[in-house]
Amino acid sequence: MSLRVLVGVKRVIDYNVKIAVRGDKSWVETANVKHSVNPFDEIAIEAAVQAKEAKLVGEVIAVSCGPPKAQESLRTALAMGADRAIHVEIPDGTEKTLEPLAVAKLFKKIAQDEKVDLVILGKQAIDDDANQTGQMLAGLLNWPQGTFASKIDLNAGDKSLVVTREIDGGLETIKTALPAVVTADLRLNTPRFATLPNIMKAKKKPIKKFTPTDLGVDVSPRLEILKVEEPPKRQGGGRVANVDELISKLKNEAKVI
Amino acid sequence: MTVPAPLRSRAIRLYKELLFLGRDYPHPQGFPWFRARLKRAFQGKASLTDPVEIEKALAHADYVKREIEALYSLRKYRTMQRRYGSAWDDTLPAALKELHRDP
């Protein structure tokens, strides 16, 4: 029996865009801003597609929870080699209050419905940097987890998995049984490009659409965003003419000596 | 003398793929700059009729395509490495080293 892999795809503001805070401090500016697939999710997709190409995996399903435009990100995932996609659609503008716990619940339902053997997610999204969804999903499913993976060895025969994890100051290697949740770190692989011909071909691949209500998941936020602010601007440095001036500045202005 | 049809369609396909890649080209003047240069490069070879010469030009276009993809990959990886990477290990992954190597 061949394995089935679920990958998570989040549509985020492109990594190259300079982020601007909205005037009313409610959120960051998202209108007319280039969006793309979260880079860590691209790595997760690549890992799943490579496993499929190595005939370790039978089917790769891409899932995105987000506004209607998240479909573009799913098309990218399909162009990279995912077989089909599932879009959990939420109304435009509510994505900022879609919390990791809600996403983990949606993924749990889909993982169970689709009877998947492995879930690969990016370790975190570059917009909210929460780094929670994978861990929460593993907890909710009661599956083992291999987070911050820099290497994945999948054994389809005895349904086991060896994950090399990036931890502080070194690497940790763990072995676990499937089903499991893995989150991808930066060095797991180099994602391929969604080329133009593949994007065209991907248009024929199916995308199933659900709403959170269809899946029986309550996605109402548990946190309230009070305000979003830019970090303080860095003050420019100055030159001092001599040691005496330096000492007096350290004493009177910086007050460190 | 006209160019054989398969070569012609390959050239058009490569042109379209390069145009598509150029949409994210990191240049202050952005895509219009890239498109103008790309167009000039293709127009410059428009008069070629020798199939061997055309093959050479197509191979070059393919090489440029792979170089641009490598450039994007490296750029993204380096930015992500700077923001999220581990401090103790910043060596380039093997796949990226492969991309970076001259053919």
Side-chain angles (χ1 to χ4, degrees), chain A residues 103-121:
Chain A
V103 177
K105 285 177 180 169
L106 293 167
F107 268 81
K108 177 192 177 192
K109 182 79 173 73
I110 294 168
Q112 287 172 335
D113 288 353
E114 299 286 347
K115 299 190 175 52
V116 301
D117 303 284
L118 176 64
V119 181
I120 311 180
L121 306 174

Side-chain angles (χ1 to χ4, degrees), chain A residues 15-16 34 42 129 187, chain B residues 24 76-77 83-84 91:
Chain A
Y15 79 101
N16 250 333
K34 188 186 171 200
E42 284 184 322
D129 286 325
R187 304 158 63 74
Chain B
D24 296 324
K76 188 180 263 182
Y77 176 79
R83 289 181 196 164
Y84 296 100
T91 50

Side-chain angles (χ1 to χ4, degrees), chain A residues 89-108:
Chain A
E89 192 175 296
I90 56 168
D92 236 336
T94 60
E95 64 269 24
K96 66 173 181 177
T97 57
L98 186 69
E99 290 162 6
L101 180 60
V103 177
K105 285 177 180 169
L106 293 167
F107 268 81
K108 177 192 177 192

Side-chain angles (χ1 to χ4, degrees), chain B residues 58-78:
Chain B
L58 289 178
H60 180 69
D62 199 56
Y63 164 74
V64 172
K65 196 182 97 188
R66 274 180 288 122
E67 281 294 294
I68 295 175
E69 286 181 355
L71 168 77
Y72 290 172
S73 275
L74 275 170
R75 232 167 95 89
K76 188 180 263 182
Y77 176 79
R78 292 232 159 93

Side-chain angles (χ1 to χ4, degrees), chain A residues 3 6 10 22 68 87 96 99 103 106 128-130 139 143 152 155 157 160-161 178 189 200 210 231-232 241 253:
Chain A
L3 301 177
L6 201 69
K10 186 176 187 182
R22 271 187 201 160
H87 182 191
K96 66 173 181 177
E99 290 162 6
V103 177
L106 293 167
D128 56 15
D129 286 325
W143 287 3
I152 302 176
N155 189 334
S160 72
L161 179 73
L178 294 178
N189 56 45
M200 301 312 278
F210 293 111
E253 286 179 32

Side-chain angles (χ1 to χ4, degrees), chain B:
Chain B
M1 200 175 119
T2 52
V3 176
L7 289 179
R8 188 180 153 77
S9 68
R10 264 172 63 202
I12 293 172
R13 209 179 314 143
L14 268 169
Y15 184 73
K16 281 184 180 169
E17 282 173 26
L18 279 161
L19 258 189
F20 174 75
L21 269 179
R23 295 201 295 198
D24 296 324
Y25 199 77
H27 186 271
Q29 285 159 43
F31 182 55
W33 176 89
F34 183 90
R35 187 177 47 198
R37 277 191 44 142
L38 181 66
K39 200 169 174 181
R40 234 182 298 136
F42 270 72
Q43 268 173 348
K45 308 263 184 193
S47 57
L48 293 184
T49 49
D50 178 8
V52 180
E53 286 295 312
I54 294 172
E55 280 292 350
K56 244 191 231 167
L58 289 178
H60 180 69
D62 199 56
Y63 164 74
V64 172
K65 196 182 97 188
R66 274 180 288 122
E67 281 294 294
I68 295 175
E69 286 181 355
L71 168 77
Y72 290 172
S73 275
L74 275 170
R75 232 167 95 89
K76 188 180 263 182
Y77 176 79
R78 292 232 159 93
T79 313
M80 299 298 288
Q81 169 70 33
R82 202 161 56 237
R83 289 181 196 164
Y84 296 100
S86 61
W88 56 272
D89 189 357
D90 58 358
T91 50
L92 220 51
L96 275 176
K97 270 189 207 144
E98 198 72 21
L99 277 178
H100 208 38
R101 214 171 48 191
D102 286 329

